Amino acid sequence: MDEKRFVYADNAATTRVDPRVLDKMLPYFETGYGNASQLYKLGRDAAMALEEARKNVAAVIGAQPKEIYFTSGGTESDNFTLRGMAHSKQARGRRHIITTTIEHPAILRTCEALEKEGFSVTYLNVDNYGMVHVDELEKAITPDTFLVSVMAANNEVGTINPLKEIGALCREKGVYFHTDAVQAFGTVDIDVNEMNIDLLSLSGHKINGPKGVGAIYIRAGVLPETQITGGGQEKKRRSGTENIPGIVGLGEAARLKLLEHDEEVARLRHLSRKLIDGVLQIPATRLTGHPTQRLPGTCSFTIDALEGESLVLLLDNYGICGSTGSACSTGSLEPSHVLTGIGLPAEVAHGSLRLSLGRFNDEADVDYILACLPKVVDRLRSMSPVWKG
Ligand code: PLP
């Protein structure tokens, strides 16, 4: 390795907007800036772009376009689902929600808020790979349960949940099934009908689309209470003048995901395999998450006897962007709830590293990471009082 490169390997955090997506969006800032509620042509053109995007998003998950509602992103879609279903007449007085201990904070903090309102929430444990076991879910369902919310794939360790089995169980028990598919949308094969998914959250910025735009799939006939009231956009379910450039970008990003799916998944699997095999050559490292049922680009590890944060900062010096589940966000070095949720002891979880590959990574990026990472690890371990290697 001779030259320093810039390698963005944090695609699970966010992605670069694909230039093809940007090209589609730009005219809606420049000339196509109409309000989609207006009757004249500029408004009608915006409304048409909105419906085109809706079709493209729906196609990825086998939904009908009318079942897609645009939001400001994954967080809003998760909030809409949980609060909306909790307050829906369709809960029919039931007050119990089931989710998992390793969901995104958009789910966990919202569940906690609902607990304060008097709802009860079961946080299912997952196995050491981060997977939900359907028999445990079954045991947790009571006559008071109205909603199960289980993420399609975990953002830190990449494990994919058995959505079809979970959906079948929820349908049999008469419980609504929501999945946070922010990490999985467009990468993992999801068919909302085959999998009996009633609600699904997705986000633009994880699929090489823009930030601040997402969508929720709501099965026809499912009626979460509206959370944002106002001018009645999105069939009165989510008010606010539509973010047309963002929605057009999301639609195009979804279309590209579907179009290039097979080739891209195979390419990412190949790159990830090489990266994982290479990282595991470093002594005292482990892969976290499921060995096979995992997102094709998300590679997550623990590396003994060092701090994830120092690792991320030193990698940054080499031009490599990665992330750790043990970031010192609050001043205390608490490992993430996901890493403790999969049973990792705190001292192991402290050395976590996530390298998530995406559309713009190539073989040379992986080679560069594999050339730099061992040096960074050696350097940190040479300063570590606990490294006995
Ligand atoms: N859910 C999961 C699993 C995520 O990974 C994220 C983003 O990191 C979100 C929800 C939140 O999505 P957004 O950033 O669009 O609000």
Side-chain angles (χ1 to χ4, degrees):
M1 184 222 14
D2 316 309
E3 262 177 50
K4 185 170 166 179
R5 288 171 71 94
F6 175 72
V7 175
Y8 183 74
D10 202 14
N11 289 275
T14 195
T15 57
R16 176 180 147 195
V17 173
D18 191 301
R20 295 169 293 178
V21 169
L22 186 61
D23 279 351
K24 279 269 174 182
M25 292 172 67
L26 284 176
Y28 292 92
F29 289 107
E30 291 163 349
T31 50
Y33 50 79
N35 183 322
S37 301
Q38 297 306 331
L39 296 177
Y40 42 77
K41 185 166 181 310
L42 196 68
R44 292 199 309 274
D45 286 350
M48 267 168 57
L50 188 62
E51 295 320 310
E52 181 66 23
R54 210 183 298 283
K55 252 195 272 168
N56 285 330
V57 171
V60 176
I61 52 172
Q64 303 175 59
K66 66 174 188 188
E67 296 172 313
I68 302 297
Y69 300 84
F70 293 110
T71 66
S72 64
T75 300
E76 185 188 328
S77 297
D78 285 346
N79 270 263
F80 189 178
T81 295
L82 294 172
R83 294 176 199 274
M85 291 310 290
H87 297 131
S88 162
K89 288 197 183 73
Q90 290 180 324
R92 298 200 313 274
R94 294 171 292 176
R95 294 178 75 77
H96 180 227
I97 299 168
I98 302 173
T99 187
T100 82
T101 55
I102 65 164
E103 298 294 310
H104 189 271
I107 294 288
L108 294 176
R109 299 293 91 78
T110 310
C111 281
E112 287 161 17
L114 288 169
E115 282 181 285
K116 291 202 183 104
E117 284 182 36
F119 290 92
S120 68
V121 181
T122 298
Y123 300 89
L124 281 182
N125 286 322
V126 293
D127 68 16
N128 292 338
Y129 295 133
M131 197 178 277
V132 169
H133 283 239
V134 179
D135 50 343
E136 288 182 22
L137 173 61
E138 183 164 13
K139 280 187 232 146
I141 296 176
T142 74
D144 200 34
T145 311
F146 62 93
L147 181 70
V148 166
S149 179
V150 172
M151 67 200 325
N154 182 265
N155 43 308
E156 286 189 38
V157 294
T159 299
I160 300 170
N161 273 311
L163 298 179
K164 192 167 178 188
E165 289 75 11
I166 296 171
L169 175 67
C170 291
R171 184 55 58 91
E172 181 197 318
K173 300 281 182 187
V175 173
Y176 294 103
F177 174 33
H178 166 253
T179 189
D180 174 340
V182 167
Q183 293 287 335
F185 178 80
T187 301
V188 176
D189 289 326
I190 295 180
D191 184 303
V192 288
N193 294 313
E194 231 173 70
M195 295 174 165
N196 289 307
I197 295 166
D198 297 307
L199 303 112
L200 176 147
S201 305
L202 65 105
S203 180
H205 73 102
K206 308 287 185 179
I207 58 166
N208 304 102
K211 293 173 180 56
V213 61
I216 180 169
Y217 155 78
I218 307 175
R219 177 177 294 286
V222 175
L223 301 169
E225 190 192 74
T226 297
Q227 298 302 300
I228 299 185
T229 47
Q233 289 87 348
E234 295 296 277
K235 287 182 262 132
K236 298 206 168 78
R237 288 191 158 183
R238 199 278 185 185
S239 286
T241 301
E242 300 88 345
N243 167 11
I244 301 293
I247 291 169
V248 165
L250 170 60
E252 181 64 2
R255 191 183 73 79
L256 293 172
K257 272 284 190 190
L258 189 58
L259 187 71
E260 297 171 355
H261 174 274
D262 294 356
E263 205 181 308
E264 181 64 357
V265 167
R267 199 183 69 84
L268 286 175
R269 280 220 178 96
H270 165 75
L271 291 180
S272 292
R273 191 67 264 156
K274 180 169 173 172
L275 180 59
I276 291 169
D277 288 347
V279 173
L280 295 182
Q281 297 288 311
I282 301 171
T285 52
R286 275 168 239 93
L287 182 72
T288 53
H290 200 280
T292 57
Q293 294 301 107
R294 59 185 302 126
L295 291 170
T298 301
C299 309
S300 55
F301 309 93
T302 57
I303 304 180
D304 283 1
L306 47 75
E307 287 294 340
E309 247 192 351
S310 315
L311 189 58
V312 165
L313 292 173
L314 285 193
L315 285 174
D316 189 34
N317 285 343
Y318 282 90
I320 299 169
C321 304
S323 80
T324 177
S326 61
C328 171
S329 51
T330 55
S332 70
L333 263 181
E334 280 296 302
S336 84
H337 67 290
V338 175
L339 300 176
T340 51
I342 63 170
L344 290 182
E347 68 277 12
V348 176
H350 277 155
S352 75
L353 176 68
R354 180 187 69 187
L355 297 167
S356 44
L357 304 176
R359 184 170 297 162
F360 298 105
N361 291 116
D362 58 17
E363 202 104 16
D365 288 346
V366 173
D367 289 338
Y368 183 72
I369 296 172
L370 292 177
C372 299
L373 185 62
K375 291 189 213 167
V376 171
V377 170
D378 277 353
R379 177 150 166 231
L380 289 171
R381 281 179 173 166
S382 72
M383 298 184 283
S384 163
V386 293
W387 177 242
K388 309 253 182 333

